[in-house]
Amino acid sequence: MDMKEEISIELHNEMSALMDELCDQNDFDGIIQLCEDLGAYTHDSSLIRLHLFYNIGSGYSHVAARREIQFDSKSSGLALLNYRKAMAEVKAFARECFRSVPSDEVMNYFYDLRSRILTNMANELDCQGRRLEALSYYDDSIEASNVHAMLSKARCLYQFAQDVYDDSHAYYLQRESFKCYKNALSRIDEFPLEQRNSIESNPFHNHFLNWFQEQEIQFGSEFPELNTLSGSSADTKKEKDYLIWCAEHRLFINELNGISTSEVVNHDVLSLPSFTARINTLLTTTEELSFHGHFDEMKTDYCYARYLAFMGSSIPLFEEHFFNSTFEHVDTLDYEINSLKTNHLKSCFRISYSIFDKISFLLHRFFELDTIQNDHQVDFKKVWFKPRSQELKSIFQSSGNDYFRALYFISREIRQGGRNTPDEQDPSYWFDPDTLRLFEIRNAMEHRAFKLVDAVCHSHHSKDNSNGIEECRSMILNVQQNIELITQQLLREQGKKDELENQLEKLRGQESSLVKDLDEKERMSSYFTIVGVEEFELLTMKLLTLAKDALVYLSLAIHYEESNKPQNGLVLPSFVPKK
C-alpha cells in the first residue's frame, strides 16, 4: 500500500470547505474526485485523521443519496466504510487524551464532530435498510443534544413502522416516531436556516403529527406505555438475569427491543411471515413447513449462541472447569487462555457466523434464485450475484425491498475479498478498521489454528521478541555487505584466492543459516491467529447482534415480497402448528 502524504492544516481546511461547496452544488463527479484526493492524505493528529474520514464519508454519502441510489451502491458502502474509519480515530483520540489533556476548545470540537459522525453513520445504515443498527447509533448523538439525530431517528422509526407486519408493534414504533418528531420540531430554531425552511415547508410533519394525535385519542388506551407492561415471568434468578441482559444488549428477535429494554420485549416473537404457495398434493405437511422449520432452526441456533455469550460474560476469565481437566495442557508461554469462558465465546462466534450462510440458503430456496443442483455454491457473499459474475440477480437489480438491501450490505461487511486481494481494494465494509477481520478469525477457527490470549501480557511478550527479529535482519544485511566486499576483493587479489574463498564460504553459510532462522520464525509466528480475549468478546457481541438483525431483516424482506405479490383468486392462510 502506498504511503500517504501528510496534509497541512491549511490544505485540510481548504478541502473541507471545498467539500461543502461541491455538495451544495451537487457536483457529484467533483465530490468523488475530492474523496479520492482526500484518501491520499493522512496526519499525525488522530483528530485531523478523524475529520478527513468524516469528509470522505460525507462526500460518498451525498452521492449515494442523490445519484447512486441503486441496490448495490458502491458509494453507500464507501461512505459507511469511512465513517467506520472515523470512529476508529475517535477511539485513538480518546486513548491519546490519557497522555495529554486537550483544551476545552479542542474537546468541544471533538464532541461535536463525533456526534455528527454517529448521526451520519446512522443515516447511512438507515439508507441501506439497516434500521435496527441505525437506531443504536442515533441514541448516542441524541444524548449529546444533537437535534439532527432526533429528526433522523423520527424518520427511521416512521419508515420502520410502515414495514413491520405486527400492527401493535407498528403502533409503538409510530408512537416513538411521534415523540421524536415532536421533540425535534420544538427545537426548529437549532437547525440551519436553509434546512429549517425545508423542514417547515414539508407538509408530512404536521400531517403525521395531527394524524397520530387522533390515533392516540381513539386507540391510545389500548396500547399502554411499554415500560408499564410485564413480560414473561422467570422461574429462577439466573433466568431473570439472562432476560434482563438480553434486553439491555438489544438481543431479542423483536423489533420493539430496538426502542425499549423493558421486560415486555423479552420474547423472540418475530418469525417467518405468512406467504402464498401453490397447492401441491405431492408435498407432505412436513415439507410444506420446511421454510418455517428452517427459520425456527436459525432462531434456536441464535438463542443458543446468545445464551453462550451471556454465560461467557458472567464467568471469570481464569476460572477453571472440569470440561478440559482430563489431560495435561501445554503451556505455550504466550499467555493463552483456554477456559470455559473463552470456549463459550468461540462457540458463540462459530454459531453466529453460520447463521448468515443459513440465511443465504433460505433465500436461495425460497425465492428460487438458482437450481437445487447449485446448492453447494450458495453462501452469503455470492447469493446475490449471477453465477461466476458480479452482476446482481434480476430479483435484486431493481428491488425496492429495503431488507434485501440490508442483508446485501451485511454480506459485504462480514466477508473479505479474495485471498490475494490488497487491503485497499478489498470491498469489505469493516466493523472497525482496528479489529481483525471476522472472516480471518473464522477461517483460523475452522481450518487453521486460533488462540485467545491475555492481550496485555501477550503484547509485552511480543515486543520483547521483536528486538531479536530486527537484530537478525541487521546481521543478514551486514553479512551480505561483507560477502559483496570480499567478492570484489577476490576479483582484485588473486594471490589470496584460497583465503578469501574460505571467508566467502563461511559468510554464505552464515547468511543461509540466518535466512533460515528468519523464514522459520515467520512460518511459526504466523501459525496461529492470535486475538486478545477482550477484543474477541467485543467482536463476538457485534457478530451476535448482527446475526439477530439479519434474522429480523430476513423476516421483513419476505413479508415485503409477499405483500407486493398480486393477490389473484382465493388465498387461504397456512396453518403453522406450534409445540
Side-chain angles (χ1 to χ4, degrees), residues 448-513:
R448 299 178 60 195
F450 178 75
K451 66 172 68 175
L452 295 173
V453 300
D454 183 318
V456 176
C457 295
H458 181 80
S459 177
H460 288 303
H461 173 77
S462 300
K463 286 178 183 176
D464 292 342
N465 193 251
S466 63
N467 294 331
I469 297 171
E470 291 304 316
E471 186 179 338
C472 183
R473 286 176 178 155
S474 179
M475 289 172 66
I476 290 173
L477 183 61
N478 187 50
V479 168
Q480 289 171 340
Q481 290 171 343
N482 287 337
I483 288 173
E484 186 177 347
L485 288 172
I486 292 176
T487 302
Q488 293 172 357
Q489 190 177 353
L490 188 59
L491 294 174
R492 295 193 305 268
E493 303 178 27
Q494 290 296 316
K496 296 183 178 180
K497 183 177 179 181
D498 290 343
E499 179 185 344
L500 291 172
E501 284 182 343
N502 286 335
Q503 290 181 35
L504 203 56
E505 186 178 351
K506 288 181 180 178
L507 286 169
R508 283 174 175 157
Q510 188 178 358
E511 180 194 23
S512 176
S513 179

Side-chain angles (χ1 to χ4, degrees), residues 144-163:
S145 197
N146 186 326
V147 69
H148 299 273
M150 182 66 76
L151 184 63
S152 295
K153 183 180 180 181
R155 294 192 191 110
C156 178
L157 285 165
Y158 175 81
Q159 186 56 56
F160 201 25
Q162 309 313 302
D163 298 332

Side-chain angles (χ1 to χ4, degrees), residues 46-58:
S46 58
L47 195 56
I48 301 300
R49 294 196 303 271
L50 188 163
H51 205 158
L52 276 171
F53 290 130
Y54 168 74
N55 282 333
I56 298 171
S58 298

Side-chain angles (χ1 to χ4, degrees), residues 169-228:
H169 285 204
Y171 192 92
Y172 280 111
L173 290 169
Q174 287 173 337
R175 177 181 282 168
E176 195 67 21
S177 174
F178 172 82
K179 291 176 182 176
C180 290
Y181 268 126
K182 199 167 183 180
N183 188 317
L185 295 175
S186 71
R187 298 163 58 188
I188 192 71
D189 292 340
E190 296 178 36
F191 290 95
L193 179 60
E194 186 175 345
Q195 189 176 3
R196 188 191 318 159
N197 292 337
S198 175
I199 294 169
E200 290 178 329
S201 63
N202 188 341
F204 165 78
H205 300 124
N206 283 331
H207 172 76
F208 172 67
L209 292 177
N210 292 333
W211 173 81
F212 192 76
Q213 280 180 325
E214 291 178 4
Q215 296 297 109
E216 284 282 71
I217 293 170
Q218 293 184 53
F219 309 110
S221 60
E222 299 175 22
F223 298 93
E225 291 293 335
L226 290 173
N227 59 8
T228 65

Side-chain angles (χ1 to χ4, degrees), residues 244-260:
I244 291 172
W245 180 86
C246 291
E248 289 178 346
H249 286 84
R250 315 276 181 173
L251 291 175
F252 284 112
I253 307 174
N254 186 337
E255 309 102 314
L256 295 185
N257 198 194
I259 60 171
S260 174

Side-chain angles (χ1 to χ4, degrees), residues 10-28:
E10 293 75 17
L11 181 58
H12 169 258
N13 292 338
E14 181 183 324
M15 295 179 89
S16 295
L18 178 59
M19 181 63 79
D20 291 338
E21 183 181 333
L22 292 173
C23 288
D24 289 340
Q25 297 170 356
N26 285 328
D27 183 350
F28 302 121

